[in-house]
Amino acid sequence: MIQLPKHIAIIMDGNGRWAKKRGLSRTQGHRKGLEALRNTVENAAELGVEFLTVFGFSTENWKRSTDEVSDLMGLLRFYLKNELQTLHKKGAKLRVIGERDRLAPDIVKLIEGAEALTATNSRINVTIALSYGARSEIVSASQKLAQRVANGEIQPGDINEQLFEDCLMTSDLPPLDLLIRTSGELRISNFLLWQIAYSELVFTDTLWPDFDKACLEQALADYSNRQRRFGAEDVTGAAE
Ligand code: FPP
């Protein structure tokens, strides 16, 4: 029986290498990466994935050249302006997580508009992590809880995993079943560190711009073949 993940996340890596291999600019690689994102949203919805979370821009990406950062922000504006109606018609609910206050005010406005327009859609939930870093998310959750203790609302001993999760930016998302990283890199790069505790991990050599429906289907097939035990004993008799 095919086991379908309800929530998948993707580290979309390899735009630069894809472009370099073809003698193109990094900007052209990112443009092709945006196309791959657009197609992946549709492919994931068609395949029945309910929640898709993607790493669009990390807190570390601010360290890239000013030109590259402004190209990526330009692409983001383009996506939020020109693709919004298509996303909406296709039934996608869009949300953004990350340090919103570091983004330009016009981008924040576009994000708010996109979230409001698509708020009641339910075919697929798309979360884009922008200026996101998992360690910073965990620190910020700790600060919120420390503040609640300081206010006398809770005792230190009241803090448990559920309370902690409620303070994360992903608090309204279901558990992450599958994390995919493209481009052959075997790292998590500060993405969803808390959330991947029991996720299955799939690494593929495919560069993100080449990630098509067949690649997504392959990742879902890999997931389906995994035995998820969440730390419990193996009841199938399979080797550890
Ligand atoms: C990694 O490629 C990808 C990114 C830094 C961002 C992902 C961006 C897109 C998919 C385009 C859409 C943009 C947004 C913001 C929604 P890389 O540049 O690290 O590739 P490399 O490791 O081969 O150099």
Side-chain angles (χ1 to χ4, degrees):
M1 192 182 72
I2 295 285
Q3 188 189 190
L4 190 68
K6 183 173 178 145
H7 182 187
I8 70 175
I10 309 181
I11 301 177
M12 309 179 288
D13 196 12
N15 295 346
R17 275 161 287 165
W18 182 92
K20 194 169 179 194
K21 268 170 69 178
R22 289 162 178 79
L24 301 172
S25 66
R26 291 182 65 80
T27 308
Q28 286 168 303
H30 291 314
R31 264 191 218 144
K32 197 74 186 162
L34 184 61
E35 246 175 68
L37 172 59
R38 180 194 302 139
N39 295 337
T40 298
V41 170
E42 180 51 27
N43 293 335
E46 270 176 25
L47 293 166
V49 173
E50 291 175 58
F51 292 83
L52 171 68
T53 300
V54 295
F55 210 179
F57 192 88
S58 71
T59 44
E60 289 72 28
N61 287 157
W62 289 114
K63 294 182 207 145
R64 292 194 176 193
S65 74
T66 323
D67 279 356
E68 185 164 352
V69 169
S70 91
D71 276 347
L72 281 165
M73 291 300 144
L75 268 182
L76 180 58
R77 280 189 186 91
F78 174 84
Y79 186 68
L80 292 168
K81 280 185 195 161
N82 301 320
E83 312 253 330
L84 184 59
Q85 286 304 332
T86 316
L87 269 176
H88 182 45
K89 280 194 199 120
K90 291 191 169 203
K93 175 175 174 172
L94 192 73
R95 271 185 72 251
V96 168
I97 57 170
E99 297 168 348
R100 217 173 264 214
D101 53 347
R102 292 183 74 180
L103 300 171
D106 70 301
I107 292 186
V108 174
K109 270 219 165 83
L110 287 171
I111 291 171
E112 287 168 356
E115 288 178 332
L117 178 73
T118 62
T120 56
N121 292 343
S122 58
R123 182 162 167 251
I124 182 163
N125 287 265
V126 179
T127 302
I128 306 184
L130 293 174
S131 190
Y132 170 89
R135 285 184 171 183
S136 157
E137 177 188 33
I138 289 170
V139 167
S140 149
S142 311
Q143 287 171 341
K144 284 184 204 160
L145 290 169
Q147 190 59 56
R148 291 187 62 192
V149 171
N151 294 347
E153 294 166 33
I154 54 171
Q155 297 296 311
D158 294 334
I159 297 174
N160 56 27
E161 291 187 12
Q162 186 57 55
L163 218 51
F164 199 88
E165 260 176 32
D166 292 344
C167 294
L168 295 174
M169 294 169 180
T170 52
S171 60
D172 56 346
L173 298 178
L176 183 59
D177 299 308
L178 169 65
L179 173 71
I180 302 167
R181 180 171 189 149
T182 60
S183 91
E185 303 294 342
L186 307 179
R187 286 188 297 278
I188 304 301
S189 299
N190 203 14
F191 191 41
L192 303 175
L193 294 181
W194 171 285
Q195 296 84 344
I196 59 166
Y198 287 106
S199 305
E200 294 298 327
L201 308 178
V202 167
F203 296 97
T204 166
D205 287 339
T206 304
L207 300 174
W208 175 248
D210 292 327
F211 191 87
D212 58 11
K213 193 169 186 183
C215 297
L216 180 60
E217 282 172 333
Q218 183 58 56
L220 298 186
D222 289 352
Y223 172 85
S224 184
N225 288 327
R226 305 271 175 94
Q227 290 286 334
R228 299 192 79 196
R229 299 206 294 275
F230 301 95
E233 67 185 301
D234 177 10
V235 290
T236 64
E240 185 55 36

